[in-house]
Amino acid sequence: MASELYNTIDALSREKGIDPQIVVSAVEDAIVVATRKYYKTQENLRAELDKETGKIRAFAVKTIVETPEQVEDPILQVTLDDARKINPNVELGGELQINKQTEGILGRIAAQLAKQVIFQKVREAERDTVYNEYIGRVGEIVNATVKRIEGPDVIFDIGKAEARMPRKEQSRLESFAMGERVRAVIARVERASKGPAVVVSRAAPELVQHLFQTEVPEIYDGTVVIRAIAREAGERTKIAVMSKDKDVDAVGACVGMKGMRVQSIIRELRGEKIDIIEYHEDAVTFAEKALQPAKVSRVTVVDSADKHLEVVVDDSQLSLAIGKKGQNVRLAAKLLGWKIDIKSEEEKRQEVELQMSALVGTASTPLENVPGLGEGLIEKLSAAGISTVEALADMTPEQLEAIEGIGPKTVEKISLAVNNYFSSLEGGEAGAVAAEGEAAAEPVAEEAAASADDVTAEVEAAPEAVSETAEAAAPADVAVEQNSGQEETVESTEEPAPSEEKQ
């Protein structure tokens, strides 16, 4: 039959949820500490608890060696001959146990020291038990009761241990009263000097997921799947859902009839806003849905490897798409897992114009290439940040006069020099065009001259043939008339060829 002391140890173990042998070891270690303090010795002490009688025996342990020469430390070692004087049954290399008297001599101070050691050992065992109990339950939902409030932290009773909820794990919309029961997520378990710290959270996205699983049967049975959650506690939550059954509307199942299901979750979260979005595999379509209630004009994938999107919205929708303090776009980026850049139509247009300007490029001609500008004037313009002819041509007379050392007459000189420079450029281009025109006209003129020679030869031969025909076929007067008519025809034929008149 177990002793009363061991029964007490067993009851304490069940209360603390630890192994009774741990408490027994703690008691034995406490007796060793008290005995060492009483005897003021550095011997290797041990203690044993007799479960039947409840008595604790303390003794010193020494290692047995063969000869006195092998004894290096008399406190820890003893020769075989000396050991057999105390216990004839010991063997070489074994241990000799020398009893230490403990009953009636330890006193109040030693008992108090033993008590402290026992409590310390029990606390350490309790910490290990709690740590091992909850380290595998991180992310799990537990029912907690508010036990006390310590400054910004709320202490909960979660059954076998206390849990702490720091301020950053709380929703700004929530406040707690003593004895109130709430649901919380086990965020992490920490090893601390004061004991294992179980940290619970009401701001974790897992809480919203658990609430939807509780309120929506389709999520509980797997018909509707929650693919992503992004949350800022006390402000807004975005949740992306997808249906495995084409006949089941995922968003409608989560909202419920007249919004009853989602309203129940909102009440649990003290009025936190919830956006329920249909999940899409296509990042572009998903981004358009995630940025609701803003209407998106277009979405472009900038870099698929780095997961970078560019979203363009109407100017009136820009503030709505960004949200209060950037909350809407921040939650959408978390939901997608992509980086999102939001731009208005006007910003995009300006960006495209800048890119086009950069592609077209602008000529840059040094001021030294402009005749008529002296070295002193060029130095003044360069000091004012004007180093190219194009920059100088874009300036107004008022801007030029604002430069130190440049007056109205100098402005006229600059204007004349710049105009002459650009005129010379245009003139050079015109001369080049004229030279090309002359070169192209030469073969045309040669062909025209050759054609004119052929026409002249034909005209000279034509009157003779006509005269011969007329003399043989008609009287002289008729021949004259025909000849004159033929001459008229020839004259009319010769009019387009100026070379014939010269001949």
Side-chain angles (χ1 to χ4, degrees), residues 30-105:
I31 295 300
V32 168
V33 172
T35 304
R36 188 185 304 281
K37 186 175 182 63
Y38 176 80
Y39 285 101
K40 296 182 175 60
T41 179
Q42 297 300 320
E43 292 177 312
N44 185 12
L45 299 178
R46 294 182 188 174
E48 288 183 355
L49 172 65
D50 189 342
K51 297 180 181 180
E52 300 297 331
T53 62
K55 294 183 178 180
I56 301 174
R57 183 174 69 92
F59 50 87
V61 178
K62 292 185 179 183
T63 304
I64 301 173
V65 296
E66 187 175 1
T67 61
E69 289 77 11
Q70 294 178 343
V71 177
E72 297 178 357
D73 188 349
I75 297 177
L76 303 177
Q77 294 174 326
V78 64
T79 62
L80 181 59
D81 295 337
D82 293 340
R84 283 181 174 172
K85 293 177 183 178
I86 301 175
N87 185 358
N89 298 324
V90 297
E91 299 291 338
L92 181 63
E95 291 182 344
L96 175 65
Q97 296 181 356
I98 305 174
N99 289 326
K100 295 288 184 179
Q101 181 66 27
T102 57
E103 294 184 4
I105 63 172

Side-chain angles (χ1 to χ4, degrees), residues 1-23:
M1 183 175 179
S3 64
E4 183 179 354
L5 175 60
Y6 188 81
N7 289 334
T8 305
I9 292 175
D10 188 57
L12 177 63
S13 302
R14 285 196 301 270
E15 179 185 349
K16 298 294 184 180
I18 59 179
D19 186 1
Q21 185 59 40
I22 295 176
V23 182

Side-chain angles (χ1 to χ4, degrees), residues 242-456:
M242 181 184 71
S243 175
K244 292 184 177 180
D245 189 344
K246 63 180 180 180
D247 296 330
V248 176
D249 179 16
V251 177
C254 294
V255 173
M257 184 178 295
K258 297 183 180 180
M260 292 179 61
R261 292 176 177 175
V262 72
Q263 286 299 327
S264 175
I265 297 172
I266 291 174
R267 283 194 299 271
E268 172 73 21
L269 299 176
R270 309 293 198 272
E272 183 176 316
K273 298 179 180 65
I274 298 177
D275 295 338
I276 304 173
I277 301 162
E278 185 177 358
Y279 177 81
H280 286 271
E281 293 289 347
D282 181 24
V284 173
T285 307
F286 194 15
E288 293 177 356
K289 298 287 185 181
L291 287 170
Q292 292 177 352
K295 295 181 180 179
V296 178
S297 299
R298 58 186 178 275
V299 180
T300 307
V301 178
V302 179
D303 190 343
S304 59
D306 293 339
K307 293 188 174 182
H308 187 187
L309 290 176
E310 182 184 74
V311 178
V312 179
V313 299
D314 191 71
D315 295 349
S316 62
Q317 296 286 314
L318 182 61
S319 60
L320 187 61
I322 295 174
K324 182 180 179 182
K325 299 180 181 179
Q327 183 187 81
N328 192 52
V329 66
R330 188 165 57 249
L331 286 174
K334 288 181 183 178
L335 197 68
L336 268 73
W338 286 60
K339 179 182 177 183
I340 299 178
D341 291 338
I342 291 189
K343 298 177 182 177
S344 65
E345 293 283 2
E346 179 65 21
E347 292 174 345
K348 186 62 179 178
R349 184 186 63 79
Q350 294 177 359
E351 181 181 335
V352 172
E353 289 180 354
L354 290 175
Q355 291 176 352
M356 294 299 295
S357 301
L359 290 174
V360 173
T362 56
S364 57
T365 306
L367 294 176
E368 290 77 3
N369 292 1
V370 181
L373 297 179
E375 294 183 359
L377 183 56
I378 291 176
E379 291 179 359
K380 293 178 182 178
L381 293 173
S382 299
I386 305 168
S387 58
T388 62
V389 180
E390 289 76 18
L392 183 61
D394 290 339
M395 297 190 68
T396 62
E398 291 78 8
Q399 292 174 332
L400 289 172
E401 290 181 7
I403 299 174
E404 185 178 355
I406 295 181
K409 293 183 178 181
T410 308
V411 172
E412 293 179 2
K413 178 181 177 181
I414 293 172
S415 177
L416 181 61
V418 171
N419 290 335
N420 291 338
Y421 172 73
F422 286 113
S423 298
S424 64
L425 292 179
E426 294 175 357
E429 294 177 356
V433 172
E436 292 177 357
E438 292 176 359
E442 290 179 358
V444 175
E446 291 177 358
E447 292 177 1
S451 301
D453 293 339
D454 295 338
V455 173
T456 304

